[in-house]
Amino acid sequence: MRSVFVFPAGERGETVASLDRHLPEQRDPWTVEGNLYIEIDDEETGYLFSDWDPDDVVALEAAVGRRPTWAVQIDVSGRIDGTTEVHQLVELLLQPGGVATDDCSTHAWTLQEIKTGAVNDGLRFFDFRTHHALNRG
């Protein structure tokens, strides 16, 4: 499984309502065709940041301007590429602003960077193929 964390600028309730509208009649988790599993995670009642490197949390705080208290976690099945689905969902979630992170880099990606295919340290957002090629062997 590959994971993406989205830190929308809006309120948690607004994000939940948006997911409910776009993925009706489901929750905990929401799913996209049984290949993307979407949940809200937080530090208070969940596991947000529990396995993150402390430097990565500091970098995220700098990008957001504060320590986020919750995130949308998207787990992507290995059965599919998932790039199109992840990009569509992240675009929806970041409409009010915010950032997203992925398993491949520590960069906090803005919606503009994701949409334009910006490169950071040789990688684009959710660029697992390049990440794998760079880290082989």
Side-chain angles (χ1 to χ4, degrees):
M1 259 296 158
R2 293 155 288 153
S3 296
V4 170
F5 288 87
V6 183
F7 301 89
E11 297 294 323
R12 181 176 178 156
E14 294 168 351
T15 298
V16 169
S18 178
L19 287 167
D20 285 344
R21 275 193 311 278
H22 290 89
L23 302 168
E25 300 179 25
Q26 54 181 318
R27 189 186 289 179
D28 297 325
W30 293 272
T31 63
V32 175
E33 298 177 12
N35 294 310
L36 268 59
Y37 303 90
I38 304 123
E39 296 182 291
I40 305 286
D41 195 11
D42 60 47
E43 284 188 288
E44 188 175 325
T45 61
Y47 300 99
L48 185 61
F49 306 130
S50 64
D51 61 350
W52 284 47
D53 183 283
D55 290 339
D56 294 344
V57 177
V58 169
L60 176 66
E61 289 173 358
V64 174
R66 61 176 171 71
R67 185 181 182 104
T69 58
W70 63 276
V72 177
Q73 181 173 343
I74 305 167
D75 292 320
V76 184
S77 168
R79 295 184 305 264
I80 65 165
D81 175 271
T83 301
T84 300
E85 295 86 348
V86 165
H87 279 252
Q88 289 171 345
L89 186 55
V90 169
E91 185 171 332
L92 170 76
L93 294 169
L94 291 181
Q95 284 301 318
V99 298
T101 64
D102 60 38
D103 290 340
C104 301
S105 76
T106 59
H107 183 67
W109 300 91
T110 65
L111 180 56
Q112 182 66 20
E113 290 173 318
I114 294 167
K115 288 172 83 172
T116 62
V119 176
N120 183 277
D121 288 334
L123 298 168
R124 290 180 171 77
F125 173 72
F126 198 64
D127 196 358
F128 59 92
R129 283 193 180 89
T130 303
H131 180 263
H132 179 72
L134 292 171
N135 293 287
R136 264 192 263 188

